[in-house]
């Protein structure tokens, strides 16, 4: 059975003070979670989160890593450094990386390969822009993102989670309808079946894009939606804890 998962992507937000405040909120409001909970702080806050988070059963993720293993790449952070800092996961292929940093499926494939070689689980983000959706290309774009980045980079040992994040739903307050998301998740699972190193039935597929404490439950009610990747609402401890509670309830029903 697939474990349910809630991932917080804090993006480029916060300061030591703000992170401390958020952690105090999470420490006091979250019961020891009975689903997988992953926090992805900015690199500079990873150590602070490790020290100040008192909850058990919560893992850490990097928001990105370099496509190179190490060496003269000023400003980059390697998969090895993330693993060494206590991260168990890394988010790769986020649309903000594709859009603002020109990351292609091929570059992301290199990152996935390096992350897996450091035993990091990969949360691989896919999703179409509004133009691609309006022109009927959403599925072919997502299929290409999946097959190009995963086919060459993983093996049976790799821990891969897919996050479907329609670009037009990120930070906009718009979401795919639960039914639209379910159709894409089912399509993603169908395509995962063609990737030899992946067990499609066991692969966790998350929905992301303007998920909050009010709408999260609608996504959890869909059969192929195993959890959520939360941006803005994850910066509010109370809202995030409510989303985690909903994921736990889904698991128990
Ligand atoms: P929002 O929840 O702020 O829309 O962000 C989603 C996201 O990009 C998570 O990775």
């Amino acid at each position: 059975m697939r474990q349910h998962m809630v991932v917080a992507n804090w993006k480029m937000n916060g300061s030591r003070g703000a992170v401390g405040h958020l952690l105090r909120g999470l420490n006091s409001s979250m019961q020891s979670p009975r689903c997988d909970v992953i926090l992805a702080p900015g690199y500079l806050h990873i150590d602070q989160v490790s020290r100040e988070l008192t909850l058990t059963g919560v893992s850490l993720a990097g928001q990105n890593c370099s496509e190179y293993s190490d060496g003269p790449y000023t400003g980059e952070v390697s998969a090895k450094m993330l693993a060494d800092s206590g991260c168990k996961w890394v988010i790769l292929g986020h649309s903000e990386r594709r859009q603002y940093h020109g990351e292609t499926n091929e570059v992301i494939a290199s990152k996935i390969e390096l992350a897996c070689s450091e035993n990091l689980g990969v949360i691989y983000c896919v999703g179409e822009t509004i133009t691609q959706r309006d022109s009927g290309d959403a599925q072919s774009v997502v299929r290409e993102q999946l097959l190009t980045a995963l086919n060459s980079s993983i093996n049976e040992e790799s821990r891969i989670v897919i996050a479907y994040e329609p670009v037009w739903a990120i930070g906009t307050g718009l979401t795919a309808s639960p039914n639209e998301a379910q159709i894409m998740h089912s399509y993603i699972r169908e395509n995962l079946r063609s990737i030899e190193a992946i067990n499609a039935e066991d692969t966790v597929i998350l929905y992301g894009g303007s998920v909050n404490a009010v709408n999260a439950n609608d996504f959890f009610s869909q059969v192929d939606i195993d959890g959520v990747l939360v941006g803005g609402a994850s910066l509010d401890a109370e809202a995030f804890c409510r989303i985690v509670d909903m994921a736990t309830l889904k698991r128990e029903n």
Side-chain angles (χ1 to χ4, degrees):
M1 203 178 94
R2 298 189 292 272
Q3 176 77 345
H4 292 119
M5 182 179 277
V6 180
V7 182
N9 180 4
W10 293 353
K11 306 194 180 183
M12 198 177 70
N13 289 297
S15 57
R16 283 179 185 275
V19 166
H21 178 75
L22 183 50
L23 289 172
R24 283 192 294 282
L26 293 174
N27 286 336
S28 64
S29 307
M30 200 185 293
Q31 314 300 328
S32 277
R34 279 165 293 146
C35 62
D36 286 334
V37 176
I38 299 174
L39 305 181
Y43 294 136
L44 290 176
H45 298 135
I46 289 172
D47 196 44
Q48 182 185 3
V49 177
S50 301
R51 282 185 282 103
E52 295 179 14
L53 190 72
T54 56
L55 297 162
T56 51
V58 176
S59 319
L60 290 182
Q63 296 176 13
N64 177 38
C65 70
S66 172
E67 68 195 280
Y68 303 108
S69 61
D70 46 35
Y73 300 102
T74 302
E76 291 290 276
V77 169
S78 68
K80 195 189 294 254
M81 289 170 175
L82 290 179
D84 189 47
S85 301
C87 289
K88 299 279 182 259
W89 294 88
V90 60
I91 297 172
L92 291 175
H94 194 283
S95 65
E96 288 152 11
R97 301 291 320 170
R98 295 178 190 266
Q99 191 179 349
Y100 305 128
H101 302 274
E103 289 191 10
T104 60
N105 292 326
E106 289 74 14
V107 165
I108 297 162
S110 306
K111 295 184 177 206
I112 293 175
E113 192 172 349
L114 280 170
C116 293
S117 73
E118 295 299 331
N119 287 325
L120 290 170
V122 171
I123 299 160
Y124 176 45
C125 302
V126 297
E128 79 287 355
T129 62
I130 194 64
T131 317
Q132 290 163 337
R133 172 156 286 259
D134 287 347
S135 54
D137 294 332
Q139 291 196 337
S140 62
V141 166
V142 168
R143 178 183 157 82
E144 175 78 11
Q145 290 171 336
L146 286 172
L147 300 188
T148 315
L150 293 178
N151 255 327
S152 57
S153 61
I154 60 169
N155 60 44
E156 280 78 9
E157 310 295 307
S158 308
R159 287 182 296 131
I160 305 292
V161 164
I162 309 296
Y164 170 56
E165 297 203 301
V167 179
W168 46 272
I170 294 178
T172 57
L174 301 171
T175 65
S177 73
N179 186 48
E180 274 172 334
Q182 164 57 30
I183 290 169
M184 185 61 94
H185 280 227
S186 160
Y187 179 76
I188 289 171
R189 206 175 298 288
E190 186 185 316
N191 278 281
L192 293 178
R193 292 193 186 103
S194 70
I195 302 175
E196 218 178 296
I198 283 197
N199 180 332
E201 294 351 287
D202 289 350
T203 301
V204 167
I205 308 178
L206 309 176
Y207 172 77
S210 298
V211 172
N212 57 39
V214 175
N215 62 26
N217 232 358
D218 299 337
F219 295 104
F220 289 131
S221 64
Q222 303 296 319
V223 286
D224 283 297
I225 301 184
D226 307 309
V228 286
L229 174 52
V230 189
S234 71
L235 297 169
D236 175 335
E238 200 188 316
F240 188 67
C241 291
R242 278 172 51 205
I243 297 171
V244 170
D245 286 345
M246 290 174 201
T248 303
L249 277 178
K250 161 152 175 152
R251 177 175 170 266
E252 289 169 355
N253 286 331

